[in-house]
């Protein structure tokens, strides 16, 4: 859990409603590099939402630039919560 990531979401995110809730759940799962490896089932359970709703919300957060995905072949997708990240941190995730 990264308290810093949670604080940055509260302070800087423009997401509202269920998008903000999902972003906070992901921030709560983030490591010290602001990267998380969540399952949609876990996120749905923690946000008290349906899995399909979580998938739609995550897609909107990616589109809005608040979340950066890294698609990994044969593994789950990991995400970086982008608030306050420098370009070097972001480039390390996408490699």
């Amino acid at each position: 859990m990264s308290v810093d990531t949670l604080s940055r979401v509260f302070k800087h995110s423009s997401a509202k409603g269920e998008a903000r809730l999902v972003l906070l759940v992901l921030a709560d799962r983030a490591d010290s590099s602001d990267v998380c490896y969540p399952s949609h089932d876990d996120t749905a359970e923690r946000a008290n939402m349906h899995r399909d709703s979580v998938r739609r919300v995550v897609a909107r957060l990616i589109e809005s630039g608040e979340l950066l995905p890294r698609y990994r072949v044969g593994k789950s997708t990991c995400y970086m919560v982008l608030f306050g990240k420098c370009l070097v941190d972001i480039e390390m995730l996408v490699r």
Side-chain angles (χ1 to χ4, degrees), residues 55-68:
R55 291 173 57 142
R56 283 191 297 275
V57 168
V58 166
R60 286 197 322 254
L61 289 167
I62 292 167
E63 188 176 303
S64 73
E66 298 199 44
L67 205 57
L68 178 69

Side-chain angles (χ1 to χ4, degrees), residues 16-81:
K16 297 189 182 329
E18 62 185 9
R20 189 174 186 92
L21 176 60
V22 168
L23 192 58
L24 287 166
V25 168
L26 296 177
D28 187 51
R29 289 287 195 221
D31 62 18
S32 61
S33 299
D34 301 329
V35 175
C36 58
Y37 302 82
S39 72
H40 289 308
D41 290 332
D42 177 67
T43 304
E45 182 178 324
R46 295 184 81 215
N48 197 26
M49 295 171 61
H50 192 275
R51 185 178 194 274
D52 293 340
S53 297
V54 168
R55 291 173 57 142
R56 283 191 297 275
V57 168
V58 166
R60 286 197 322 254
L61 289 167
I62 292 167
E63 188 176 303
S64 73
E66 298 199 44
L67 205 57
L68 178 69
R70 178 172 181 215
Y71 303 104
R72 305 175 311 153
V73 177
K75 297 181 180 179
S76 65
T77 301
C78 68
Y79 301 96
M80 178 182 279
V81 179

